[in-house]
Amino acid sequence: MPSKDTLERNQVWVYLAAIIIGLVFGGGVPALAQTLEALLWPALAVLLYTTFTQVRLGQLPAAFRDVRFVSAALIGNFAVLPLLICGVLLLVPDDPAIRLGLLLVLLVPCTDWFITFAHQAGGDLRRAIAITPALLVAQMILLPLYLWLFMGADFMVIVSAGRMVTVFGIVIVLPLVAAFATERWAGEAPARIATIERLGWFPVPLLAFVLFLIAASQVEAVMGSIPLLGDIFVACIVFLIGGTMIGLAIGKAFGLPVGQARTLVFTLTTRNSFVVLPFALALPAAWEMAAIAIVFQSLIELFGMLALLWLVPRKLVPST
């Protein structure tokens, strides 16, 4: 049986295979589209629960003890990156659904696989783990504000979407509360902590299952969006390059040591795609490109991480 580390190292291929299999399956059995879409919501809820259990929400106060690193991460993610995203949006068609999808995913820093990538690149694992609760709380508070600033009148369409409140409560809030309750239940008991660690096996296969369900239930939308994927690809690549450069600049400006500087690069280039995915899926049919843009961005990001895993420790932030 492969180790958890091996599974995480190869997750990009797992997700790509899940999407391809989903498209083939959905194209061959289109009558099952509604059933597969119905399975998507509980699958997302379980995925987010297992993911949130790996974020130590009880450690939120401790995250702010290292003022220099936390300031660099928060300023980079929530003050500088939005300026980059303004430019990135100029690279895609003036389509509200595409813009919304990119805004949803690019504005929210990752709180899960960024830890894995930062660690694999020789980053500071302890600080990567410590910063995740702060990133999660900050993005949930600031995302509505940024959507309102970027989308204007279209933001009201998003807020008034029929399923939005229900999705937020059932697919986001309940898993978050359940994860926090699980963390409190575990306390300092080694056996219970081990249970939470075992839950860390589930995010990769569950996300693969979610991607399979999306691809299988949205075959027509995915195939119809192919002409637009080129522009989204360019925009996401520009974001990755820009985020990397910003991370290097802020790390240098704050005088961060090598491990922390590497971690900073990864928190500025990885995004919380499947945490915001439920919001995109809850929108009316006319907004289906938002979810497709999020899934496509996450795949581009994962391939980008393969490049950064080599570049960051060897070229961009070497040990010297």
Side-chain angles (χ1 to χ4, degrees):
M1 182 177 180
S3 66
K4 179 171 173 284
D5 183 62
T6 301
L7 182 63
E8 290 175 339
R9 285 180 181 273
N10 293 283
Q11 58 187 308
V12 58
W13 309 111
V14 175
Y15 302 146
L16 186 61
I19 290 175
I20 293 172
I21 294 170
L23 289 172
V24 172
F25 183 83
V29 196
L32 291 178
Q34 288 188 336
T35 302
L36 295 173
E37 188 171 353
L39 289 173
L40 181 57
W41 299 105
L44 275 168
V46 176
L47 167 63
L48 291 178
Y49 165 71
T50 59
T51 301
F52 289 150
T53 60
Q54 306 307 301
V55 179
R56 301 293 186 262
L57 296 171
Q59 296 180 1
L60 183 58
F64 292 94
R65 290 176 187 165
D66 188 343
V67 176
R68 185 170 56 164
F69 176 71
V70 172
S71 298
L74 294 179
I75 289 170
N77 274 299
F78 300 109
V80 182
L81 278 189
L83 300 177
L84 171 63
I85 293 168
C86 285
V88 167
L89 291 180
L90 298 176
L91 302 174
V92 297
D94 189 17
D95 182 314
I98 295 176
R99 290 169 60 87
L100 173 60
L102 289 178
L103 285 170
L104 279 171
V105 70
L106 297 182
L107 286 168
V108 290
C110 185
T111 56
D112 55 345
W113 63 40
F114 118 81
I115 297 174
T116 300
F117 292 127
H119 179 52
Q120 290 174 354
D124 190 320
L125 179 61
R126 185 174 66 85
R127 283 178 172 80
I129 294 172
I131 194 64
T132 52
L135 295 176
L136 183 62
V137 172
Q139 67 189 249
M140 287 191 169
I141 293 172
L142 293 174
L143 181 59
L145 172 62
Y146 281 128
L147 288 178
W148 175 70
L149 289 173
F150 277 100
M151 299 293 294
D154 286 328
F155 178 67
M156 297 311 298
V157 176
I158 302 165
V159 174
S160 61
R163 294 188 293 180
M164 192 62 68
V165 175
T166 302
V167 166
F168 182 73
I170 296 177
V171 183
I172 303 292
V173 175
L174 281 183
L176 186 60
V177 172
F180 183 70
T182 302
E183 181 182 338
R184 296 300 296 265
W185 164 79
E188 300 298 327
R192 295 181 178 185
I193 292 174
T195 298
I196 292 180
E197 290 176 351
R198 282 193 290 271
L199 289 174
W201 278 84
F202 287 88
V204 172
L206 281 172
L207 179 54
F209 182 55
V210 165
L211 292 173
F212 164 81
L213 292 175
I214 292 172
S217 62
Q218 307 289 331
V219 173
E220 290 186 11
V222 172
M223 301 309 292
S225 68
I226 288 176
L228 300 172
L229 295 184
D231 292 329
I232 297 174
F233 175 82
V234 171
C236 293
I237 293 296
V238 169
F239 176 83
L240 273 173
I241 295 173
T244 301
M245 295 174 64
I246 289 170
L248 296 173
I250 293 179
K252 190 172 183 179
F254 276 77
L256 298 180
V258 169
Q260 294 180 32
R262 291 175 179 175
T263 301
L264 183 66
V265 169
F266 282 96
T267 189
L268 293 178
T269 51
T270 54
R271 305 287 91 187
N272 235 0
S273 53
F274 57 86
V275 171
V276 295
L277 185 58
F279 296 112
L281 291 170
L283 292 167
W287 293 77
E288 57 195 8
M289 269 304 300
I292 293 171
I294 290 172
V295 172
F296 191 54
Q297 184 280 335
S298 67
L299 284 176
I300 296 169
E301 176 182 301
L302 284 166
F303 280 105
M305 291 306 105
L306 297 179
L308 287 180
L309 282 175
W310 188 88
L311 286 170
V312 168
R314 291 173 176 82
K315 301 292 183 180
L316 302 179
V317 191
S319 298
T320 63

